């Protein structure tokens, strides 16, 4: 982890879309910052009672939720994790524990870029079918991903400090 993170600051002004996307991109960059510079062993090291709550595991999970909410829910693509998650609800954590950290970071960044492209072509009020007869709009998905990414960025901050003592907002 570098002392100076390369994160886009969320805009202090702007329309709703600009600010929502700005905060999500800030959090995504924070995730990458907290995961960067670790060895595979450090990224997989369990530091809390949950053996799956590791840097690698959380990064695998965040990649999955990006893929699910943006590519599956909003873009209507097939859920490539569905069968694996039916067998093991923690499959994305377990797969990540066997994947090199640099590969996990690259996959996360690629998934985030795909997510950006998907929402760029949609309005915040655009609705899509969701789990049966329900609907969800783009605004909900972005807000949910801000919450999800922010929560896990906090976990990563703690794990990073426990790993090598490095801190930073």
């Amino acid at each position: 982890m570098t002392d100076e993170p390369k994160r886009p600051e969320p805009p202090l002004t702007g329309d709703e879309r600009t600010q929502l996307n700005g905060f999500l991109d800030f959090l995504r960059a924070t995730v990458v910052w907290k995961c960067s510079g670790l060895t595979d062993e450090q990224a997989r090291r369990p530091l809390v009672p949950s053996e799956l709550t590791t840097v690698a595991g959380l990064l695998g999970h965040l990649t999955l939720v990006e893929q699910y909410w943006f590519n599956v829910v909003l873009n209507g693509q097939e859920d490539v994790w569905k069968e694996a998650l039916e067998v093991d609800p923690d499959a994305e954590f377990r797969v990540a524990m066997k994947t090199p950290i640099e590969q996990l970071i690259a996959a996360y960044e690629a998934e985030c870029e795909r997510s950006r492209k998907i929402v760029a072509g949609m309005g915040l009020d655009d609705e899509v079918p969701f789990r049966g007869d329900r609907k969800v709009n783009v605004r909900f998905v972005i807000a949910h991903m801000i919450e999800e990414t922010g929560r896990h960025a906090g976990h990563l901050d703690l794990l990073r400090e426990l790993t090598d003592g490095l801190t930073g907002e």
Side-chain angles (χ1 to χ4, degrees):
M1 183 166 74
T2 62
D3 292 332
E4 295 295 322
K6 293 181 175 107
R7 299 178 295 179
E9 288 293 324
L12 298 174
T13 61
D15 63 17
E16 183 180 15
R17 174 185 285 276
T18 299
Q19 291 190 312
L20 288 171
N21 286 333
F23 270 98
L24 184 52
D25 280 340
F26 175 80
L27 291 169
R28 287 167 169 159
T30 300
V31 166
V32 171
W33 178 44
K34 295 295 177 175
C35 296
S36 295
L38 295 174
T39 66
D40 291 335
E41 185 277 325
Q42 287 172 318
R44 296 175 185 145
R45 187 182 303 158
L47 299 166
V48 297
S50 169
E51 67 181 25
L52 297 176
T53 304
T54 64
V55 170
L58 288 170
L59 193 52
H61 173 70
L62 284 168
T63 303
L64 170 102
V65 294
E66 283 278 342
Q67 184 268 336
Y68 175 76
W69 283 101
F70 291 101
N71 198 44
V72 175
V73 173
L74 292 182
N75 203 30
Q77 298 301 305
E78 180 183 349
D79 185 354
V80 297
W81 280 93
K82 185 177 181 180
E83 289 181 24
L85 292 170
E86 286 172 356
V87 173
D88 177 3
D90 297 317
E92 78 277 22
F93 288 90
R94 293 185 207 290
V95 168
M97 295 295 282
K98 300 172 189 167
T99 306
I101 187 65
E102 291 303 321
Q103 188 177 334
L104 290 170
I105 291 169
Y108 178 69
E109 290 180 313
E111 201 61 55
C112 291
E113 184 57 31
R114 179 165 60 170
S115 298
R116 283 184 202 95
K117 288 177 181 174
I118 290 167
V119 297
M122 302 178 82
L124 294 177
D125 292 322
D126 288 357
E127 295 180 349
V128 296
F130 183 65
R131 297 183 182 165
D133 62 351
R134 299 167 63 196
K135 290 189 180 231
V136 64
N137 68 18
V138 174
R139 179 181 292 102
F140 173 88
V141 171
I142 295 172
H144 172 68
M145 288 303 298
I146 290 169
E147 178 274 328
E148 180 94 14
T149 308
R151 181 165 31 98
H152 293 311
H155 294 137
L156 289 166
D157 190 38
L158 175 63
L159 293 173
R160 186 60 193 249
E161 185 173 355
L162 290 170
T163 298
D164 61 11
L166 290 177
T167 61
E169 74 171 50

